[in-house]
Amino acid sequence: MGISRDSRHKHRHTGGRRNIHQKKRKFEMGRPAALCKLGHKRVRSVRGRGGNMKYRALRADAGNFAWGTEHVAKKVRILDVVYNATSNELVRTKTLTKNTIVQIDAHPFMQWYKKHYGIEVGKKKKGAHGEEDAEEKKSFKVVSKQKARATGAKLDTTIEDQFQTGRLLACIASRPGQSGRCDGYVLEGEELAFYKRKLEKKKKA
C-alpha cells in the first residue's frame, strides 16, 4: 500500500463519508520515519521530488553545537539522550530528533574557554595542577589579551557545575532525518532551568 499523505480517505468536517474517485498519486507519497539513533555515523541519501536530495541519518554520534552567550561553536560528541517531549520511549531507544535534549562532551568548550580567557573551568583546584598551569609559557601580549577579555567574562553557575561533570545539556536544532546532521546549541538561562526541572521530576517519578 505505501504511506500516503492524501486527505481523501478522511471524513468531511461535517462528519460525512467521502466517495473516493481517484487513486493515490506519487506527489502525495510519504516515507517511513528515519528514527536516527545514537551510534557510529551512518547516513543514506534519498532522492526527493524535483531531483532534490535528502540525507537520512540512521546513526549519529557527533555534531556542531553552539554556545550562544560566548558566540562559539565546536564539533562535539553526543554522549547520551536525556529528554524528549514527545515520548520517553525515544529516550529509552536513544533516538535523535529535532528538539531532543542530549548530553554532550564539555571538553572542547573547556579548552576554548581556557585559551580565550586564560581561566580553567571544570577542574577541582589541586596544588599539582596549579603548578603545571603556572609553568605554561605565554607571551606578554597573550596574557594582556586574556586579562582584558576576562574582565567582562561571567560564567553562569549552572553551566560551571556542568563543566565539573564534563557534560553539558544541549538541544538538537537540526533535523537528522532530513539533513543528515545532528547540530544544536548548549542550553542556558531559563531554558536550562526548565529542562533541569523536567529531568528532576522524571527522576522522582
Side-chain angles (χ1 to χ4, degrees), residues 30-42:
R31 294 188 190 90
L35 296 175
C36 177
K37 299 281 193 292
L38 188 62
H40 188 67
K41 188 182 175 183
R42 189 187 300 169

Side-chain angles (χ1 to χ4, degrees), residues 61-123:
D61 59 356
N64 292 328
F65 284 82
W67 186 1
T69 53
E70 294 295 341
H71 309 290
V72 65
K74 294 282 170 191
K75 186 177 180 180
V76 293
R77 285 186 308 125
I78 299 167
L79 303 173
D80 198 10
V81 177
V82 291
Y83 182 77
N84 194 311
T86 309
S87 169
N88 284 333
E89 187 70 9
L90 297 177
V91 178
R92 192 184 64 80
T93 55
K94 298 191 190 303
T95 304
L96 301 171
T97 61
K98 184 176 176 174
N99 220 47
T100 297
I101 306 303
V102 292
Q103 279 185 339
I104 59 170
D105 183 19
H107 289 91
F109 290 111
M110 286 159 72
Q111 286 163 1
W112 174 85
Y113 201 88
K114 188 185 174 186
K115 193 178 176 184
H116 192 72
Y117 293 112
I119 301 166
E120 197 159 3
V121 289
K123 279 195 178 178

Side-chain angles (χ1 to χ4, degrees), residues 153-166:
K154 193 181 177 185
L155 188 62
D156 191 6
T157 50
T158 48
I159 288 179
E160 200 168 355
D161 294 341
Q162 286 184 80
F163 274 130
Q164 295 278 348
T165 62

Side-chain angles (χ1 to χ4, degrees), residues 117-202:
Y117 293 112
I119 301 166
E120 197 159 3
V121 289
K123 279 195 178 178
K124 286 161 188 171
K125 289 170 186 176
K126 287 180 183 175
H129 286 292
E131 283 162 23
E132 281 170 28
D133 294 342
E135 283 169 22
E136 192 185 332
K137 288 182 180 177
K138 290 175 189 172
S139 70
F140 177 75
K141 193 176 180 182
V142 168
V143 172
S144 59
K145 254 188 192 178
Q146 286 177 342
K147 275 186 180 176
R149 286 172 186 157
T151 52
K154 193 181 177 185
L155 188 62
D156 191 6
T157 50
T158 48
I159 288 179
E160 200 168 355
D161 294 341
Q162 286 184 80
F163 274 130
Q164 295 278 348
T165 62
R167 292 175 173 221
L168 291 172
L169 283 176
C171 180
I172 295 173
S174 67
R175 299 171 69 196
Q178 306 290 319
S179 63
R181 300 178 63 85
C182 204
D183 302 335
Y185 58 93
V186 174
L187 292 178
E188 298 177 89
E190 286 181 20
E191 198 176 6
L192 176 60
F194 172 81
Y195 284 113
K196 278 205 160 212
R197 283 198 302 273
K198 288 279 184 190
L199 290 168
E200 279 166 25
K201 199 184 279 184
K202 201 171 138 191

